[in-house]
DNA sequence: CCGCATCCACTGTGATACTG
DNA sequence: CAGTATCACAGTGGATGCGG
């Protein structure tokens, strides 16, 4: 016989590998990924230019981030083997399709982030001062 | 005199602390956060029940995740000091306001994740086999 | 110009055991 | 029931220097 609590459980489980929330986040939630996507919103852009536009990103992390995005099919890389070489990046169609959802998140931030900061301040005050 | 490239730069820089994309992700991009929010979508829920619903989460991580959400003002915690104690969690209004954007992401996943998986497969094949 | 390799510090995560 | 404490470990991020 089951306990009264188990009867309340509608869905038996939520799994990391199944939840859609988690799957997108797995793709865009690295430290620099969102910024790199943001830098490519306007169209084709060169490696060095991305680097200049994003404050504080190292070559290593930029390369790593771009490779991941490329692997996930969100970014296209075109190499012109001149000397010195030219490497241009742009969003694929799939990458562009992510811009809509990203902008929705961005909008949420604009409207609500100050509330988050307030909440943090009052939480911290309650626990570390008083 | 400026180089021809620098003239292309519309926005001088993109910063982690300013970009809205990054700020939301900072809030929801931990491993379990999205799943916990998802578990609370239906309303008030007890600690133990969340734990039963999410596959593989440890007590430590659940507590840590809930505390962060609470600190950010997305989750409310109500303790009934009986023996044994009852602790109920629910989304705040602010937390609920995040559900819309999250569902948009979820929808994107449903429609596009298979493309991501395809891209990964062909990328990996190109680099590790051939 | 673009990127890789190496080394190191740090943090997020997990396993386990204990408590009011 | 709902946590806290401790330890161990893997992955991520950063600094630097080399290479095509």
């Amino acid at each position: 016989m089951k306990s009264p609590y188990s009867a309340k459980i509608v869905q038996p489980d939520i799994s990391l590998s199944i939840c859609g929330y988690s799957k997108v986040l797995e793709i865009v939630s690295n430290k620099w990924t969102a910024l790199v996507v943001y830098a490519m919103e306007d169209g084709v852009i060169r490696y060095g230019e991305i680097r200049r536009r994003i404050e504080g990103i190292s070559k290593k992390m930029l390369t790593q981030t771009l490779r991941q995005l490329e692997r996930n099919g969100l970014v296209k890389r075109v190499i012109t083997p001149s000397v010195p070489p030219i490497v241009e990046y742009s969003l694929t169609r799939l990458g562009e399709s992510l811009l809509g959802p990203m902008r929705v998140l961005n909008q949420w931030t604009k409207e609500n982030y100050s509330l988050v900061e307030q909440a943090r301040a009052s939480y911290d005050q309650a626990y570390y001062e008083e």
Side-chain angles (χ1 to χ4, degrees), chain A:
Chain A
M1 185 176 170
K2 298 193 173 184
S3 83
Y5 287 123
S6 63
K8 280 190 186 175
I9 302 176
V10 183
Q11 296 134 300
D13 59 358
I14 299 171
S15 142
L16 265 181
S17 53
I18 291 172
C19 177
Y21 293 174
S22 301
K23 289 201 282 193
V24 219
L25 291 175
E26 184 193 324
I27 294 174
V28 293
S29 75
N30 298 317
K31 181 167 182 184
W32 301 104
T33 306
L35 297 184
V36 172
V37 169
Y38 184 48
M40 290 187 298
E41 265 188 309
D42 301 326
V44 176
I45 184 169
R46 294 185 58 175
Y47 180 90
E49 196 175 343
I50 304 178
R51 229 186 132 217
R52 278 188 295 273
R53 285 190 58 188
I54 302 180
E55 186 184 310
I57 194 169
S58 67
K59 283 185 290 181
K60 175 188 164 184
M61 292 317 296
L62 178 52
T63 300
Q64 196 175 109
T65 304
L66 286 167
R67 286 289 120 64
Q68 281 176 39
L69 286 167
E70 195 191 350
R71 177 167 182 266
N72 290 328
L74 303 175
V75 159
K76 188 175 57 177
R77 173 156 154 253
V78 177
I79 310 171
T80 305
S82 55
V83 180
I86 296 173
V87 183
E88 291 176 320
Y89 291 92
S90 56
L91 293 174
T92 61
R93 213 190 198 97
L94 184 59
E96 282 171 1
S97 75
L98 194 56
L99 288 176
M102 297 281 280
R103 291 202 183 102
V104 171
L105 282 184
N106 196 19
Q107 186 60 29
W108 184 89
T109 308
K110 278 194 210 160
E111 291 167 4
N112 297 289
Y113 198 74
S114 64
L115 294 173
V116 173
E117 289 179 318
Q118 274 180 240
R120 282 180 189 163
S122 81
Y123 183 95
D124 292 346
Q125 189 176 353
Y127 282 84
Y128 299 112
E129 304 185 24
E130 175 233 9

